[in-house]
Amino acid sequence: MFSFRMFRSRSFIHYKNLKYLLFIILFLGPSFIISDTSPELAVPGQPETAKLFILDASGSMNEYLGIYQKVHLAKKYVRHYVDKLPEETEVGFIAYGNRLPGCQSSRLYQPLEKGNRPGFQNKLFGLTPSGATPLAESIRIAGDYIVRRKSPTDLILVTDGIESCYGNPEKELQVLQQKGINFKMHIFGLGLKPEEKRVMQSLAKTGNGKYYNVGEDSDFFLAMEDLLKQESLPKRTELETEKRKPKIRIAGIEKTQTDSEENFYRVKFNFENSDSDSQCVLLNLKRRSSTSSKIQNWNPQRTSEPERVLRTEQICFQTRKGEGEFQVSAPAHLPLNLELELWDTKGIPSSVDKSGEKNLTE
């Protein structure tokens, strides 16, 4: 069948043939004219919002927030957020500082791309804090980058301080809005002082985004989860979540020995986590709950109601996929459950999945 491009290139077509082709085009309708080779003519769908991070890699990010360095928390939860986005979402990041002194340190380290999560992660974990905090310059660079893009973009700023280079971040946001750029800016403030917090809240409001105050590890997790909930993700992702393959699974429980005081069990499991080759499986031995708790677990990848945990054991692996078993002893007359957790121990340890509870004793 002819295509629209072929039709335009054949300037020597005879007049009668031309009338014949025009008749075919009219008969077939617009679907004949609009082809995959002419995306500018296609009916536009709902554009996917790109995610461009602006990451603080200034010297103060070496400081601690709780028991972790700020830079390590930032890397951990930016990765967590990106891993939960659909593969078709374009992600990239700008960073300032990162071994560069002075106020001209902002650089586009990872352009907005679909699917290049390994490349994003490698560049993210390569950041080394040093230098100042040129927020205004970073927003200006972000604007210059996204101004030619037609799809909406979320700017996500992760910082532990306000502008330190005499720029005006709020004015830069207003300039982007005047240019008609379709964007929002969300801000994660790490350990900010009250006055710094007020400045960042105002900046997020100007950027039509949300401000999240991060005082510790759990704050960062909850903030990232809240931002993920704001996404207008396709309904199919909910179905995919329900049907997803678990990363850690109890394969079987076998009672091996019984006496009047104790029972002995073999708990077999298997796991698969393509994101890491360094991980540990934790077994939590728990008192059985007499009532179903309505308290929401703060981290859905951690064991629920940790106050019921009596004992924890672990086995570690240097592989992405494997199997193993625990040998467990438990009081014979105490109703108990068990649950497994899978932890990624590459870098800062973080939980990635849990098995769900199973009865150990009947």
Side-chain angles (χ1 to χ4, degrees):
M1 180 178 290
F2 293 94
S3 73
F4 183 58
R5 180 173 296 178
M6 290 171 62
F7 165 68
R8 293 201 308 169
S9 67
R10 298 190 57 159
S11 59
F12 56 85
I13 295 179
H14 191 272
Y15 176 70
K16 291 183 178 179
N17 291 335
L18 177 60
K19 288 199 299 182
Y20 179 71
L21 287 172
L22 287 173
F23 173 79
I24 293 176
I25 290 171
L26 292 172
F27 178 76
L28 291 175
S31 61
F32 177 78
I33 300 174
I34 299 173
S35 69
D36 292 340
T37 59
S38 300
E40 69 277 3
L41 298 176
V43 178
Q46 182 65 32
E48 185 75 29
T49 301
K51 312 295 178 185
L52 182 63
F53 288 86
I54 300 176
L55 302 178
D56 188 339
S58 64
S60 59
M61 289 291 283
N62 281 315
E63 297 172 1
Y64 281 77
L65 192 65
I67 62 174
Y68 298 119
Q69 283 182 301
K70 296 173 185 176
V71 66
H72 288 159
L73 285 176
K75 292 175 180 179
K76 172 183 175 180
Y77 286 111
V78 168
R79 172 190 171 185
H80 169 82
Y81 179 89
V82 169
D83 283 349
K84 289 201 170 187
L85 294 173
E87 280 296 318
E88 61 267 23
T89 304
E90 294 179 304
V91 294
F93 75 87
I94 289 169
Y96 54 84
N98 189 34
R99 306 184 184 90
L100 299 175
C103 290
Q104 281 77 48
S105 60
S106 296
R107 301 285 188 276
L108 177 65
Y109 286 92
Q110 174 62 48
L112 289 167
E113 292 180 339
K114 297 179 182 180
N116 187 17
R117 303 301 163 81
F120 180 99
Q121 183 176 316
N122 288 339
K123 292 175 183 176
L124 171 68
F125 280 85
L127 294 177
T128 301
S130 178
T133 306
L135 292 183
E137 180 196 50
S138 300
I139 293 171
R140 184 167 58 252
I141 288 174
D144 291 342
Y145 177 59
I146 66 176
V147 70
R148 298 181 298 274
R149 300 173 52 82
K150 297 179 181 179
S151 62
T153 303
D154 282 350
L155 304 179
I156 304 173
L157 171 63
V158 179
T159 183
D160 74 335
I162 60 176
E163 174 73 37
S164 67
C165 291
Y166 308 102
N168 188 333
E170 195 153 341
K171 181 179 178 181
E172 295 297 338
L173 285 181
Q174 292 167 351
V175 169
L176 299 188
Q177 290 165 342
Q178 290 167 4
K179 291 180 179 179
I181 300 174
N182 188 355
F183 79 97
K184 291 181 180 179
M185 188 167 85
H186 307 290
I187 300 175
F188 293 81
L190 279 60
L192 298 186
K193 298 174 183 177
E195 181 56 34
E196 294 174 331
K197 178 181 174 181
R198 283 191 287 270
V199 171
M200 287 303 180
Q201 286 174 325
S202 175
L203 192 60
K205 185 176 180 181
T206 301
N208 297 314
K210 297 190 68 173
Y211 171 78
Y212 297 94
N213 196 58
V214 177
E216 59 181 349
D217 184 290
S218 60
D219 291 341
F220 218 150
F221 174 84
L222 293 173
M224 282 296 186
E225 287 295 304
D226 183 78
L227 188 58
L228 283 166
K229 290 177 184 176
Q230 309 304 316
E231 302 297 326
S232 55
L233 298 179
K235 290 185 178 180
R236 71 174 186 273
T237 57
E238 298 177 5
L239 297 175
E240 289 169 357
T241 300
E242 292 175 3
K243 296 178 180 179
R244 71 176 180 84
K245 182 179 179 181
K247 294 184 178 181
I248 178 70
R249 190 175 70 88
I250 298 173
I253 301 174
E254 177 186 348
K255 185 184 291 187
T256 59
Q257 185 180 344
T258 302
D259 61 32
S260 59
E261 299 295 330
E262 284 188 303
N263 293 333
F264 297 86
Y265 304 87
R266 294 172 61 190
V267 180
K268 298 180 180 180
F269 63 86
N270 51 56
F271 67 90
E272 183 173 359
N273 178 20
S274 59
D275 296 329
S276 177
D277 56 5
S278 180
Q279 43 213 331
C280 291
V281 177
L282 271 65
L283 180 146
N284 296 308
L285 192 63
K286 306 172 70 173
R287 290 192 305 270
R288 191 173 305 162
S289 177
S290 56
T291 59
S292 58
S293 173
K294 295 183 179 180
I295 300 176
Q296 185 176 2
N297 191 19
W298 72 274
N299 185 340
Q301 294 166 338
R302 293 296 317 276
T303 189
S304 58
E305 301 178 77
E307 67 276 6
R308 292 196 286 118
V309 176
L310 299 176
R311 190 169 79 242
T312 297
E313 299 180 14
Q314 72 174 31
I315 303 175
C316 295
F317 301 84
Q318 296 296 317
T319 180
R320 298 178 185 272
K321 178 180 180 181
E323 57 185 26
E325 69 175 45
F326 288 96
Q327 296 188 12
V328 182
S329 62
H333 304 292
L334 186 63
L336 296 172
N337 288 1
L338 62 84
E339 188 170 32
L340 303 182
E341 296 178 47
L342 183 64
W343 281 69
D344 180 354
T345 55
K346 192 172 185 178
I348 299 175
S350 60
S351 56
V352 295
D353 204 1
K354 65 181 181 180
S355 65
E357 291 188 32
K358 284 197 173 184
N359 291 345
L360 183 65
T361 56
E362 297 298 337

